[in-house]
Amino acid sequence: MSKTEKTTPSETLRPITSRGVSAGVSEKANQILGGEAYPWDNSVLSWQRTAFHFQPEKNWMNGPLFYKGWYHFFYQYNPNGAVWGDIVWGHAVSKDLIHWFHLPFAMVADQWYDLHGVWTGSATILPDGQIIMLYTGSTNESVQVQNLVYPEDPSDPLLVNWVKYKGNPVLVPPPGIDVKDFRDPTTAWYTSEGKWRFTLGSKINKTGISLVYETEDFKSYKLLDKLLHGVPNTGMWECVDFYPVSLTSENGLDTSANGIGVKHVLKTSLDDDRNDYYALGTYDEMAGTWVPDDPRIDVGIGIRYDYGIVYAAKTFYDPNKKRRVLWGWIKESDSEAADLQKGWASLQGVPRTVVFDKKTGTNLLQWPVEEVDSLRLSSKEFNRVEVTAGSIVPLQVGIASQLDIVAEFELDKKDLERASESNVEFSCSASDGSAERGALGPFGLLVLADESLIEQTPVYFYVTKGANGTFKTFFCTDHSRSSKASDVNKEIFGNYVPVLEGEKLSLRILVDHSIVEGFAQGGRTCITSRVYPTKAIYGAARLFLFNNATETKVTTSLKIWGMKSVPP
């Protein structure tokens, strides 16, 4: 690639106005929630910064990879303010996915083909070790195009300097695709015919689609005749991800893996509702298409990565530990006024391993990477604590704003047999949250609660018993009392979680100041919350067990660790 131009930071970055929902993932939807902005003070806002989640020093915070001993994380970043705009690529590196070092910007908006923003992209490592990065640029006329970039010095393990290909853009929207509906290329995979393919998101009318391109040199491309997949009435697909998972091994697979014992995950971020959906299915390389295992839980209408506020998630294969790792962007759900006052907005979730759930055969398991365990301090154990119906039990763990909680819950078998049956369908989001008392739920933990329980964030299970005596379990998080502030989102999140015969109800919760990440049944269902307490902060944060069921006691065993802070 002889025609090159080195990317250099512009002296000034061009300010732009709102791009709207058609333009990508980063912009904040809510300006003010609930009327007037809450009168935040600096002490409360300072507490919201997390201790062990990735976030920039300030302002608004895409292609992760492992190279020469370093994990690299590239992220969309506004260096000029805590709101969306002036999007460049920040760059950080780590040896362990926990401790990060910030490097100079990898790319800035300095060419006509990315003048309105350097948006999401993905890295592909070729067999000879060469790195290829494709990313979406928004041109000077706000057309979404795909561009090629690669390291200036491949021998540099930190990959500090990046070069934009002189022939950019390498792809423009094809006929029939709107100029603002063509974005976010995936990592490429190698075919049996010795060619590379990747997919990116778009839509035709209201049908979300994934286009597939084929290339041999990443300069010239062929659009395949068939879509990888499409689902009616799902709207624009962005941040598409496509990768294999093993049906037999706990190890992750390189993106090019295919064949016997392999399924493929197709994931998309829906622009219409700002949630990440995935489905398991079969990839036919010859046809160039992917078919879901179960059309009833197809992409965009079935399972989500996370039932909280994770969005624009992306995975990469980590050859260092032979695993697939997922990064998810945690949105803000307070007011933009609060973002401006505290001087930063949004974070990344804790990296998660992703594997096929061999027990259910229908879903993935997501779990914090093992490196998170290295942050654990001394632990406290609580064995077989009985929590009677309608009661709350305080857990003496000291300051409860940085915790790793592992818990198991058992319902009394006789209570299950005697419990009332009901035909009423339960939904976490449509319920009254943890205050809704059913025969067999809710029960779980109150995190980030103050002593008086004026503020609390319940993370809990809710079990229903149908008219035929069958049980169904839901995993929920209730934000309705998480903050006294009026300008924050206070939804109730959650969904069904598969529980197999003989399994106890299990839960892991990571509490990191204003972030709560919950993993039920080994990560079958996950919920990430961004909460904004005003009282349950610093030394006032407490932890409680609760059981608001009406017809059963709950026996709980817990192990709880305090968590170290990671130096910024």
Side-chain angles (χ1 to χ4, degrees):
M1 299 180 183
S2 58
K3 297 180 179 180
T4 61
E5 54 195 32
K6 185 174 177 180
T7 69
T8 54
S10 307
E11 289 187 10
T12 58
L13 294 170
R14 185 180 183 276
I16 64 176
T17 56
S18 169
R19 60 183 177 171
V21 295
S22 67
V25 304
S26 297
E27 186 173 31
K28 188 164 190 168
N30 55 308
Q31 307 300 313
I32 293 289
L33 290 172
E36 293 292 325
Y38 183 80
W40 297 99
D41 63 59
N42 290 334
S43 176
V44 174
L45 293 174
S46 295
W47 176 87
Q48 290 182 17
R49 282 197 71 87
T50 57
F52 55 88
H53 282 72
F54 178 88
Q55 64 185 119
E57 292 182 29
K58 61 180 181 178
N59 300 338
W60 186 284
M61 95 122 269
N62 255 306
L65 65 103
F66 180 82
Y67 187 72
K68 292 186 182 297
W70 290 90
Y71 293 101
H72 292 255
F73 183 60
F74 303 92
Y75 56 95
Q76 293 186 358
Y77 178 63
N78 178 3
N80 295 331
V83 295
W84 187 91
D86 299 341
I87 297 299
V88 305
W89 269 27
H91 184 192
V93 294
S94 173
K95 284 286 188 179
D96 61 3
L97 292 173
I98 300 296
H99 300 83
W100 291 90
F101 304 93
H102 292 272
L103 297 178
F105 299 151
M107 286 189 286
V108 298
D110 59 359
Q111 302 296 323
W112 70 267
Y113 51 77
D114 59 15
L115 196 62
H116 281 183
V118 179
W119 293 353
T120 299
S122 296
T124 300
I125 301 180
L126 306 188
D128 63 1
Q130 183 182 10
I131 298 174
I132 295 294
M133 190 86 78
L134 291 171
Y135 74 93
T136 299
S138 182
T139 73
N140 55 345
E141 296 180 343
S142 296
V143 176
Q144 293 172 15
V145 299
Q146 312 314 313
N147 302 306
L148 173 63
V149 65
Y150 48 91
E152 180 184 52
D153 179 8
S155 67
D156 174 15
L158 297 183
L159 301 173
V160 173
N161 296 316
W162 290 79
V163 174
K164 294 179 183 178
Y165 175 48
K166 193 72 173 180
N168 281 339
V170 295
L171 282 175
V172 298
I177 298 298
D178 189 272
V179 297
K180 293 186 177 181
D181 296 335
F182 184 67
R183 56 182 176 267
D184 309 336
T186 65
T187 296
W189 64 92
Y190 200 57
T191 71
S192 59
E193 295 181 345
K195 298 179 181 179
W196 293 93
R197 290 178 181 173
F198 66 91
T199 184
L200 48 75
S202 188
K203 69 175 180 178
I204 298 176
N205 297 319
K206 288 291 185 180
T207 297
I209 61 172
S210 48
L211 302 165
V212 181
Y213 284 87
E214 193 170 71
T215 183
E216 294 184 53
D217 59 5
F218 289 89
K219 298 176 186 176
S220 58
Y221 300 82
K222 174 188 176 183
L223 175 62
L224 299 193
D225 294 335
K226 294 183 179 180
L227 300 173
L228 181 67
H229 194 53
V231 180
N233 300 313
T234 54
M236 176 64 195
W237 285 11
E238 57 185 4
C239 295
V240 173
D241 201 6
F242 185 62
Y243 57 91
V245 290
S246 172
L247 302 183
T248 58
S249 172
E250 295 299 313
N251 290 338
L253 296 176
D254 179 84
T255 306
S256 298
N258 198 6
I260 297 173
V262 174
K263 280 196 181 294
H264 275 77
V265 176
L266 180 58
K267 167 263 169 184
T268 187
S269 302
L270 290 193
D271 201 13
D272 285 358
D273 71 2
R274 297 300 170 99
N275 291 310
D276 279 9
Y277 295 82
Y278 77 89
L280 292 160
T282 301
Y283 172 55
D284 185 334
E285 182 189 292
M286 296 304 294
T289 58
W290 174 91
V291 178
D293 287 348
D294 185 348
R296 296 171 300 177
I297 51 173
D298 205 344
V299 184
I301 61 173
I303 307 173
R304 284 168 48 181
Y305 269 164
D306 193 290
Y307 289 87
I309 57 172
V310 164
Y311 191 61
K314 179 175 289 294
T315 68
F316 75 101
Y317 175 65
D318 173 12
N320 182 42
K321 293 197 172 183
K322 295 180 173 58
R323 59 187 176 180
R324 183 156 290 272
V325 177
L326 180 149
W327 273 103
W329 174 55
I330 300 176
K331 303 173 289 184
E332 297 288 340
S333 55
D334 62 344
S335 68
E336 196 164 88
D339 293 344
L340 290 169
Q341 188 174 344
K342 69 178 182 281
W344 59 271
S346 67
L347 312 93
Q348 293 295 133
V350 164
R352 306 173 181 179
T353 56
V354 181
V355 298
F356 175 71
D357 187 346
K358 290 180 286 187
K359 291 182 179 179
T360 66
T362 59
N363 55 271
L364 298 173
L365 297 173
Q366 301 171 66
W367 199 249
V369 294
E370 62 184 7
E371 289 87 342
V372 172
D373 296 358
S374 69
L375 298 175
R376 289 171 168 173
L377 298 168
S378 59
S379 65
K380 290 193 176 182
E381 293 191 44
F382 302 86
N383 294 314
R384 300 196 62 79
V385 179
E386 287 195 0
V387 189
T388 57
S391 65
I392 296 173
V393 177
L395 297 172
Q396 303 302 328
V397 296
I399 298 173
S401 57
Q402 289 174 220
L403 299 175
D404 187 350
I405 305 165
V406 175
E408 286 188 343
F409 303 86
E410 293 180 73
L411 301 182
D412 186 276
K413 290 183 179 179
K414 292 182 179 178
D415 291 341
L416 290 174
E417 292 172 2
R418 292 191 295 257
S420 305
E421 297 180 354
S422 173
N423 284 321
V424 177
E425 286 292 323
F426 179 79
S427 163
C428 294
S429 59
S431 72
D432 289 331
S434 60
E436 179 163 318
R437 303 194 66 182
L440 303 174
F443 56 87
L445 289 129
L446 306 178
V447 302
L448 296 177
D450 69 308
E451 196 70 51
S452 63
L453 297 178
I454 291 175
E455 289 185 336
Q456 54 177 277
T457 300
V459 183
Y460 58 95
F461 290 106
Y462 192 105
V463 180
T464 62
K465 186 176 183 180
N468 57 0
T470 58
F471 298 96
K472 193 172 182 179
T473 304
F474 296 83
F475 176 49
C476 316
T477 299
D478 179 1
H479 299 83
S480 60
R481 288 169 286 173
S482 62
S483 175
K484 289 179 63 183
S486 57
D487 57 349
V488 302
N489 191 312
K490 297 181 181 179
E491 291 182 75
I492 299 162
F493 294 146
N495 199 53
Y496 163 73
V497 57
V499 180
L500 305 184
E501 184 71 28
E503 289 184 340
K504 295 179 182 179
L505 297 179
S506 64
L507 177 59
R508 183 177 181 182
I509 305 174
L510 295 176
V511 180
D512 185 6
H513 291 236
S514 57
I515 297 291
V516 179
E517 294 187 73
F519 305 84
Q521 299 307 109
R524 287 179 188 148
T525 300
C526 307
I527 304 173
T528 298
S529 301
R530 179 79 166 86
V531 292
Y532 307 89
T534 62
K535 294 172 63 67
I537 61 176
Y538 296 108
R542 297 285 183 268
L543 179 67
F544 298 85
L545 278 171
F546 82 98
N547 176 14
N548 217 15
T550 59
E551 298 182 29
T552 187
K553 68 179 180 182
V554 179
T555 302
T556 308
S557 295
L558 307 97
K559 192 168 185 178
I560 303 169
W561 295 265
M563 296 290 275
K564 299 176 189 175
S565 296
V566 175

